[in-house]
Amino acid sequence: MEILQNLGLGLATAAEPVNLLFCFIGVLLGTLIGVLPGIGPTATIAMLLPITFGFEPATSLIMLSGIYYGAQYGGSTTAILINLPGESSSAVTAIDGYQMAKQGRAGPALATAALGSFFAGSVATVLIALFAPPLTEVALKFGPAEYFSLLMLGLVASVALAHGSVIKALGMIVIGLLLGLIGSDVNTGAQRFTMGFLELADGVNFVAVAVGVFGIAEILRNLEDESDREVMVKKVTGLFPSKEDFKAAWAPVVRGTALGSILGILPGGGAVLSSFAAYTVEKRISKTPERFGKGAIEGVAAPEAANNAGAQTSFIPMLTLGIPANPVMALMIGAMIIQGIQPGPNVAVEKPELFWGVIASMWIGNLMLVLLNLPLIGLWVRLLTVPYTVLFPAILAFCCIGVYSVNSNAFDLYAVAAFGLLGYVLVKLECEPAPLLLGFVLGPMLEENLRRAMTISRGDPTVFFTRPLSAGLLIVAVLVLVVVFLPSVRKKRDEVFQEE
Amino acid sequence: MFKSLAAAVAAFGVLTGSAVAETYPSRVITMIVPFSAGGPTDTVSRLVAEAMSKDLGQQIVIENVGGAGGTLGAGRVAKADPDGYTLLLHHIGMSTSATLYRKLPYDTLNAFDYVGLVTDVPMTIVARANFEPADMKALVEYAKANKDKVTYANAGIGAASHLCGMLFMSKIETPLTTVPYKGTGPAMTDLVGGQVDLMCDQTTNTTNQIKGGKIKAYATTTKERLAALPNVPTAAEGGLTDFEVGIWHGVYAPKGTSPEIIAKLSASLQKALKDPNVVKRFADLGTVPSSEADATPEALKAKLTSEIARWAPVIKAAGVYAD
Amino acid sequence: MQINTRDAAAGVIFIVIAGLFALGTQELTIGSALRMGPGYFPLVLAGVLGFIGFVTLFKAVGKAQSPMTGVPWRGLILILGAPVVFGLTLRGLGLAAATALVVAISAYASRRATFVMAASLTVGLTIFCVVVFSYGLGLPVQRIGPWLTF
């Protein structure tokens, strides 16, 4: 009953007219800025942060959360429309979403993403309201050994991202892992592969890599043959998902929500894995896995749901412990401090109206997002009919400004050019960028947790097997490997992956 | 071309300095914070910048130039035009990077003019909630007896927790197993989760975890007990003398800024540090604004010089460098 | 015997990248599996990548050629040049002029570019970006940079 009371208090706070208004403004601004290519949620929030300083604490946090979902949704929109993910999680959405857009089905893809996200967001909100404190306890059981095992599982499973040659996809993952290691070594401070550039000490900027290997490479590919590129898509069929689409998408949405909710709780970046994991699961259990990578609606529905659920549940460690799980949460914590609220284990007790108000507003924010975006789909889709010669200079200009805004550093723009070239060469050789991006995000986490676990265990490698959670995850990883390489399933797998 | 242009601009700035100072500030001032948005230093900067904006009648915008332990942002300011429109707010890292980085692109003591100290955030020695030792004395004994078993978390090379840890280990003359993290967030997560044993970090990061009972506090690194944590003894009370460490913050301008502008900025900083909102928010963070005597160019210069001298031997003894 | 040049090239690139990273670990401490130095993990990965490269190369032999499309050289140079020019000029020229340069350069990457279109795109997008990013979002970059003020 206490939960109902709390939720009531939260809804009352969130439904105050001023909070509703700023929730809406946040969602709207987030969507509009997030939809600009090259500008993901982190950059959007960082830029909009100062606007909220003048507000009441609850209003300010509600608006910031609104900006966050809005920006995330906007990022998925650019992933689908122009193959440019604004953050690692929408890199997966780009795979099938962009193919759908090319086939004139951008409308259904966007609508599926919106509805799937809303469903996932609603479920995750309830989850947070009911179980936030116990879930936090579970998340804290995850030490370095568990993270390492989880990441191994993620890597093994990610081969499913490939829709061409498996071996080349593996190569791309490893290149991504290596690129992710550029920068100072966390353990010793040694500079690795930085060629003397201090700008690389904290690693290569993610946005620069994403814009390079996805955005620039895609523009160049489109410039190869301009004759049929007068407009991106000539005919757009139907803005909304058909009955068949709904039938195909609902189960992936549910599974994606479940996966995303669980992984999002882990403060060490589990949310990153959620959309990749959801995509992998769908491709594995699909009866027609060969459709993936060619515009399968499940490939949009599942990762989008997972992504949004994970984004939502990643609020749990922030709200219950005051510990940021990702850069966006770090910004939220900064905002709280500036507002005079001390984020920490006591927020729920000391400021219940704020704690529950933010949780309730998540649901309201998601509802607004869906109401706002369904009508906007028509507008976004019409963007595709803009002549490409007009579209790509705009994409490039936004990307340049977006990349610069992350660190205010011109070096990152040179990195865009370098990764654009690399990305284009690799695309020419039919190597896909999504696995590279996954490796890039996971590489440093994998190494850090491996070495950290070994440091804590004083060089005893059995720690990965003696800790039950870690052992369980490794067993699953081995099982996945066996399934992939066992001779009996091998033929089927070859059908799945090697359609050359 | 850049360099000569910048030099020309710099010369121009010096020549016209006093004339400009009367009308200063006539446009938006950029305050570079060499860390990412949302962190403790960023928060301090935004609070101070807001109060100074009110006083100067011109907006001060924060530009986060993160990377390489704050040296990228500091380097940017070192090369900026000394016209008073580019400032730097940096913390203790300004002094430690002089030793941690063997190839800095600027000369720490000669590339900047000083505006004043902002605040000195205290540190706390903390451990996982169920760590055995009962108090500071017991902790030191336990650490010495189990030096192979005790793990110390830090938030990366050059971070406050890294510096405090080095100092702690050199004080108790016992090297512990150091477990580095990328940032305070993950390090704190693992401390709360009981994956590592010890950490020493700013009150900004620890106060609420201590109050919530998620971690155990052994000592503060201050002369007197903190108002926010009255039950936590000082390090000296626990038998650890000369263990006063604070994450001090200062505002700098590029070398060659006209003295009039510096004076104007200093006066504005002193006013800002008395702003009730700043005082209150700083108190929430577990710290107090620097006194009027400390928020001066002389005090900051003296602090930077003495801190460089203090940390150089500690860092060299630990043999850890960031490049 | 036929060789699929595309796969072969991918294999060679993998091997080259692996080689470069392996070379980069030369100056790093490698350590052992139990006490890993900063060079250990990258060296292992470079080894794996090299192996994958050889497998890719091996599998390319005997595989049929697949059609290749041409490279848009003009577009390649202009599109890759645009962000570099933006980075070099942003702090000097300011947001407005640097954005205008990016748009103007990239507009000519298309073979269908005409002067009228490039000019109108440049003006329109520059105004849009300055309004949105500088006035709207307060991006801390001068609108008109120091190179243009005297």
Side-chain angles (χ1 to χ4, degrees):
Chain A
M1 278 310 100
E2 204 193 332
I3 290 288
L4 285 181
Q5 238 173 22
N6 286 335
L7 270 183
L9 177 69
L11 275 173
T13 312
E16 275 172 34
V18 60
N19 289 345
L20 277 181
L21 176 69
F22 281 102
C23 185
F24 179 74
I25 294 177
V27 167
L28 181 68
L29 279 179
T31 308
L32 292 181
I33 308 293
V35 91
L36 297 176
I39 300 165
T42 318
T44 309
I45 296 190
M47 284 193 277
L48 293 175
L49 188 64
I51 301 179
T52 66
F53 288 164
F55 304 154
E56 286 291 301
T59 311
S60 144
L61 278 187
I62 285 172
M63 180 168 166
L64 280 174
S65 321
I67 295 172
Y68 178 36
Y69 325 129
Q72 208 171 29
Y73 184 78
S76 308
T77 308
T78 40
I80 292 171
L81 293 182
I82 56 172
N83 197 20
L84 214 174
E87 53 170 343
S88 52
S89 52
S90 41
V92 187
T93 312
I95 300 175
D96 278 276
Y98 184 57
Q99 292 304 322
M100 285 182 73
K102 273 181 153 174
Q103 295 157 13
R105 304 214 322 129
L110 289 169
T112 307
L115 293 169
S117 297
F118 175 62
F119 174 82
S122 307
V123 172
T125 305
V126 174
L127 214 66
I128 295 178
L130 290 177
F131 304 117
L135 285 178
T136 313
E137 293 304 315
V138 174
L140 286 175
K141 295 267 187 296
F142 259 70
E146 284 77 16
Y147 276 113
F148 174 76
S149 303
L150 177 71
L151 293 166
M152 279 309 285
L153 173 59
L155 273 186
V156 168
S158 66
V159 182
L161 290 177
H163 52 272
S165 144
V166 181
I167 187 80
K168 283 199 273 185
L170 282 174
M172 291 299 273
I173 292 176
V174 180
I175 292 179
L177 289 169
L178 279 166
L179 292 173
L181 297 181
I182 293 175
S184 311
D185 172 35
V186 181
N187 283 51
T188 60
Q191 298 292 306
R192 297 193 290 191
F193 320 115
T194 57
M195 297 163 283
F197 292 111
L198 268 182
E199 286 86 349
L200 284 174
D202 287 349
V204 187
N205 179 349
F206 170 81
V207 184
V209 178
V211 164
V213 297
F214 276 91
I216 304 270
E218 180 65 29
I219 291 176
L220 288 172
R221 193 157 59 173
N222 286 331
L223 286 176
E224 280 177 2
D225 186 13
E226 288 186 81
S227 51
D228 62 340
R229 275 266 159 222
E230 176 62 5
V231 290
M232 276 280 281
V233 174
K234 283 214 177 75
K235 67 176 187 344
V236 174
T237 52
L239 286 184
F240 286 92
S242 62
K243 227 184 211 162
E244 288 75 48
D245 289 337
F246 269 114
K247 236 187 222 162
W250 77 266
V253 164
V254 172
R255 284 188 290 262
T257 304
L259 254 175
S261 303
I262 296 167
L263 289 170
I265 298 161
L266 301 173
V272 178
L273 278 178
S274 61
S275 54
F276 290 98
Y279 188 89
T280 306
V281 167
E282 290 313 316
K283 190 165 173 177
R284 278 264 163 262
I285 63 176
S286 171
K287 287 195 190 90
T288 49
E290 65 280 0
R291 288 189 305 115
F292 280 74
K294 293 179 183 160
I297 197 159
E298 300 95 312
V300 174
E304 274 301 298
N307 171 6
N308 205 45
Q312 212 87 311
T313 51
S314 67
F315 272 77
I316 291 183
M318 198 275 280
L319 285 171
T320 57
L321 292 175
I323 293 174
N326 54 42
V328 172
M329 291 301 130
L331 281 167
M332 298 282 260
I333 285 186
M336 283 169 100
I337 294 175
I338 287 178
Q339 291 287 347
I341 302 155
Q342 285 304 297
N346 298 336
V347 171
V349 185
E350 283 167 9
K351 307 247 177 202
E353 74 291 343
L354 178 91
F355 184 88
W356 295 103
V358 170
I359 289 179
S361 86
M362 291 177 179
W363 186 78
I364 295 181
N366 272 290
L367 183 66
M368 285 180 176
L369 198 61
V370 110
L371 293 179
L372 178 75
N373 274 290
L374 288 180
L376 278 179
I377 287 174
L379 180 72
W380 300 145
V381 170
R382 217 165 314 144
L383 271 183
L384 290 179
T385 58
V386 171
Y388 199 68
T389 37
V390 174
L391 203 56
F392 80 84
I395 296 174
L396 204 65
F398 295 143
C399 285
C400 285
I401 298 174
V403 167
Y404 182 82
S405 71
V406 179
N407 285 330
S408 303
N409 208 324
F411 185 87
D412 290 345
L413 289 158
Y414 313 142
V416 166
F419 281 101
L421 180 63
L422 177 73
Y424 179 60
V425 169
L426 290 169
V427 162
K428 285 284 274 185
L429 302 176
E430 284 178 338
C431 298
E432 294 149 59
L436 181 140
L437 213 55
L438 177 71
F440 179 75
V441 176
L442 296 188
M445 291 162 69
L446 192 71
E447 187 203 17
E448 262 175 57
N449 282 298
L450 169 65
R451 288 169 68 186
R452 194 173 294 144
M454 294 288 275
T455 306
I456 293 178
S457 73
R458 270 148 221 94
D460 175 10
T462 59
V463 63
F464 299 105
F465 311 103
T466 50
R467 293 179 64 124
L469 255 173
S470 166
L473 288 164
L474 279 181
I475 289 170
V476 179
V478 171
L479 284 179
V480 172
L481 261 185
V482 169
V483 169
V484 172
F485 287 103
L486 213 67
S488 60
V489 273
R490 185 146 182 190
K491 198 169 156 278
K492 191 175 161 229
R493 181 187 61 90
D494 282 353
E495 282 164 15
V496 175
F497 294 120
Q498 314 255 146
E499 60 257 339
E500 291 129 323
Chain B
M1 187 177 89
F2 279 151
K3 277 227 169 103
S4 56
L5 254 172
V9 169
F12 185 75
V14 172
L15 286 176
T16 56
S18 50
V20 169
E22 279 161 37
T23 53
Y24 175 86
S26 59
R27 57 179 167 91
V28 173
I29 301 169
T30 305
M31 184 183 270
I32 291 190
V33 176
F35 300 98
S36 55
T41 309
D42 179 60
T43 310
V44 164
S45 312
R46 287 184 194 272
L47 291 169
V48 171
E50 199 194 324
M52 281 177 76
S53 302
K54 265 190 271 168
D55 178 58
L56 291 169
Q58 273 291 346
Q59 173 104 34
I60 299 184
V61 295
I62 301 290
E63 183 174 353
N64 300 95
V65 185
T71 58
L72 280 185
R76 166 86 60 86
V77 176
K79 275 186 247 137
D81 304 342
D83 55 6
Y85 292 100
T86 310
L87 304 174
L88 170 72
L89 196 150
H90 201 338
H91 62 38
I92 188 172
M94 189 78 167
S95 63
T96 51
S97 52
T99 315
L100 277 171
Y101 291 81
R102 288 160 294 191
K103 292 176 292 210
L104 271 190
Y106 55 89
D107 176 358
T108 307
L109 276 174
N110 292 312
F112 301 94
D113 276 331
Y114 307 90
V115 175
L117 279 160
V118 174
T119 180
D120 200 343
V121 184
M123 312 271 288
T124 45
I125 299 175
V126 292
R128 60 183 159 90
N130 55 356
F131 197 47
E132 295 87 349
D135 57 18
M136 192 66 208
K137 272 203 184 74
L139 172 69
V140 174
E141 277 163 30
Y142 185 89
K144 283 184 174 172
N146 301 287
K147 66 173 174 191
D148 292 335
K149 265 173 58 193
V150 178
T151 49
Y152 177 90
N154 74 39
I157 308 251
S161 45
H162 171 230
L163 301 172
C164 188
M166 277 195 298
L167 200 64
F168 179 70
M169 287 175 219
S170 81
K171 273 274 174 262
I172 66 169
E173 294 171 345
T174 312
L176 305 171
T177 306
T178 304
V179 187
Y181 287 81
K182 224 185 243 167
T184 303
M188 185 56 80
T189 308
D190 270 8
L191 190 72
V192 172
Q195 314 286 348
V196 285
D197 299 325
L198 270 181
M199 186 153 99
C200 172
D201 205 357
Q202 318 182 47
T203 45
T204 328
N205 297 324
T206 57
T207 308
N208 288 286
Q209 306 295 341
I210 296 169
K211 283 185 180 163
K214 299 284 174 191
I215 55 176
K216 191 172 188 170
Y218 284 105
T220 64
T221 63
T222 45
K223 270 205 182 73
E224 279 140 36
R225 290 195 182 200
L226 297 173
L229 296 166
N231 299 324
V232 181
T234 66
E237 284 179 60
L240 212 59
T241 48
D242 289 327
F243 198 72
E244 274 141 38
V245 208
I247 302 305
W248 53 275
H249 297 66
V251 177
Y252 307 80
K255 188 82 180 177
T257 308
S258 86
E260 287 88 349
I261 288 178
I262 294 284
K264 213 166 198 170
L265 286 170
S266 241
S268 172
L269 174 65
Q270 286 158 15
K271 250 184 241 166
L273 293 178
K274 287 187 196 131
D275 182 285
N277 182 48
V278 171
V279 174
K280 190 177 168 303
R281 294 288 188 262
F282 273 30
D284 291 339
L285 291 169
T287 184
V288 284
S290 294
S291 67
E292 199 169 312
D294 279 342
T296 56
E298 300 73 37
L300 177 58
K301 186 175 186 187
K303 183 81 176 177
L304 180 66
T305 316
S306 70
E307 287 282 293
I308 291 178
R310 176 191 191 180
W311 287 102
V314 179
I315 293 165
K316 282 180 184 150
V320 178
Y321 296 94
D323 61 7
Chain C
M1 192 178 69
Q2 53 183 357
I3 294 178
N4 182 306
T5 34
R6 199 182 327 226
D7 280 9
V12 169
I13 284 185
F14 287 175
I15 295 168
V16 168
I17 293 178
L20 287 177
F21 273 96
L23 213 64
T25 60
Q26 286 298 299
E27 52 194 73
L28 299 167
T29 321
I30 305 294
S32 67
L34 298 185
R35 287 209 140 272
M36 279 171 239
Y40 190 88
F41 200 65
L43 189 61
V44 170
L45 286 180
V48 173
L49 184 61
F51 175 74
I52 292 174
F54 277 110
V55 174
T56 313
L57 195 58
F58 176 72
K59 283 178 77 170
V61 179
K63 208 170 118 184
Q65 281 287 5
S66 45
M68 272 278 231
T69 42
V71 174
W73 288 107
R74 168 170 143 183
L76 188 75
I77 291 162
L78 291 178
I79 294 287
L80 295 180
V84 175
V85 169
F86 187 75
L88 287 173
T89 58
L90 180 61
R91 299 193 67 79
L93 293 177
L95 181 65
T99 308
L101 269 177
V102 168
V103 180
I105 292 171
S106 57
Y108 276 100
S110 165
R111 275 173 298 235
R112 294 157 173 262
T114 59
F115 176 76
V116 176
M117 205 189 67
S120 48
L121 251 182
T122 305
V123 173
L125 273 172
T126 304
I127 293 174
F128 180 84
C129 286
V130 170
V131 167
V132 168
F133 290 100
S134 194
Y135 288 97
L137 296 171
L139 186 77
V141 174
Q142 286 179 14
R143 284 186 275 274
I144 309 290
W147 294 355
L148 299 178
T149 44
F150 59 91

